[in-house]
Amino acid sequence: MNEIKKIYDQDNILVIIPVRNEQESIVNIIAFLQSLGLNKIRVIDNGSRDHSGILAQEAGAEVIFEPIPGYGQACWRGLQELTPEIEWILFCDGDGSDDLSQLPLFWQQKDNYDLILGDRTATVSGRKVMTPVQHFGNRLASFLIGLAWGYSYHDLGPLRLIRRDVLDKIEMEDRGFGWTVEMQVKAIECQLKICELPVNYYPRQGGKSKISGTISGSIKAGIIILSTLAKLYIRRLSKRQPETEKKRINQKF
């Protein structure tokens, strides 16, 4: 009984779910999370025109309405005014595509890592369901991050568990779809202990993709990834230049 409680009693975890027009799936997601002992659930309604927010509230989630559009904006809004007992933040999507039944595998790694990511590319279902845009984005980001930061990821998926204290440390700035890339790059820069776990992935059960599935979405995804990584790399270089100059001056003396 104590072992079961240790696995499923997760009062120190806050779940953040950004949604926009996902009323078909959000109630089932909340119910499943609650069945895993996750009772602190924040749904960020990012401009829904359906009943996503109302249904989420009725299902027992805390609902915050964020009118400014943007995935990162919604995630950032969900991180405001956290209560002291929260030690971990779990991010997941509200469209029903994440396999939440695999979350106990995340709990098992909490003592070993700071950032635990779901790797959809490591499972057959994940690779099959992911769109060409998502595969392209993963390959591009992995290559560029490996080239610039020396650490290659496999996926930029939404399902992720991160320690609250290190999330405060990395100071997230992006307010759009560059949120996931920024988090993963800054995790490397802050030398966090990172783990990618294989996770299944399903066709979305509600809502419409905000970025993938169209030519314009593909172009937008590529631009977002490239611009986000470019900003982070320039920032990294600007921080290194003063340190290099300081070392050069010290060597003179």
Side-chain angles (χ1 to χ4, degrees):
M1 179 66 70
N2 290 334
E3 184 178 354
I4 294 176
K5 185 175 181 180
K6 182 179 180 182
I7 294 174
Y8 290 105
D9 186 7
Q10 305 296 340
D11 289 336
N12 64 345
I13 299 176
L14 173 67
V15 185
I16 293 179
I17 312 175
V19 300
R20 187 187 300 173
N21 302 323
E22 290 161 341
Q23 65 178 13
E24 298 88 354
S25 52
I26 190 61
V27 172
N28 289 337
I29 292 172
I30 293 170
F32 193 87
L33 290 169
Q34 291 169 337
S35 74
L36 294 179
L38 293 163
N39 297 309
K40 294 181 172 64
I41 303 171
R42 278 187 178 178
V43 171
I44 315 303
D45 190 333
N46 197 207
S48 295
R49 296 181 179 179
D50 63 6
H51 300 293
S52 295
I54 297 173
L55 292 175
Q57 196 167 43
E58 291 176 350
E62 175 189 5
V63 177
I64 299 174
F65 294 91
E66 175 51 64
I68 302 175
Y71 179 81
Q73 178 69 27
C75 291
W76 177 84
R77 182 67 179 85
L79 292 170
Q80 307 309 302
E81 301 179 6
L82 300 183
T83 51
E85 75 276 7
I86 299 300
E87 298 177 7
W88 291 87
I89 308 295
L90 174 69
F91 295 95
C92 69
D93 275 351
D95 59 16
S97 57
D98 295 321
D99 185 0
L100 302 177
S101 69
Q102 296 174 290
L103 284 177
L105 299 177
F106 285 53
W107 312 155
Q108 293 172 16
Q109 299 298 330
K110 283 168 60 181
D111 293 336
N112 304 316
Y113 296 97
D114 304 307
L115 173 61
I116 304 170
L117 302 162
D119 178 8
R120 301 166 296 178
T121 69
T123 64
V124 174
S125 67
R127 291 190 297 271
K128 183 178 180 180
V129 172
M130 289 173 66
T131 66
V133 173
Q134 292 167 319
H135 283 293
F136 166 75
N138 280 334
R139 287 193 294 267
L140 177 62
S142 179
F143 172 76
L144 294 176
I145 293 173
L147 189 66
W149 285 272
Y151 185 102
S152 294
Y153 290 100
H154 297 94
D155 196 6
L156 305 176
L159 189 60
R160 53 188 59 206
L161 182 68
I162 185 169
R163 292 184 188 274
R164 173 185 178 176
D165 57 348
V166 299
L167 186 55
D168 292 338
K169 180 181 178 182
I170 64 179
E171 299 178 343
M172 295 292 296
E173 298 175 0
D174 189 89
R175 297 295 182 261
F177 281 104
W179 175 274
T180 55
V181 180
E182 180 189 5
M183 182 184 294
Q184 289 174 232
V185 166
K186 287 187 173 180
I188 299 170
E189 294 180 339
C190 292
Q191 300 181 329
L192 302 188
K193 296 178 181 178
I194 305 166
C195 172
E196 288 185 280
L197 297 178
V199 293
N200 295 315
Y201 194 58
Y202 304 122
R204 61 171 48 245
Q205 304 300 309
K208 181 183 292 186
S209 175
K210 285 74 178 176
I211 192 167
S212 63
T214 64
I215 294 176
S216 61
S218 302
I219 295 173
K220 184 177 180 180
I223 292 174
I224 290 171
I225 292 171
L226 289 173
S227 61
T228 301
L229 290 175
K231 290 176 185 177
L232 292 169
Y233 189 65
I234 292 171
R235 185 180 68 91
R236 180 170 179 251
L237 290 178
S238 66
K239 285 185 176 181
R240 291 176 61 182
Q241 286 176 351
E243 295 176 0
T244 303
E245 182 66 18
K246 183 178 180 180
K247 289 180 181 178
R248 187 181 63 82
I249 293 174
N250 290 337
Q251 287 174 354
K252 285 184 177 182
F253 296 95

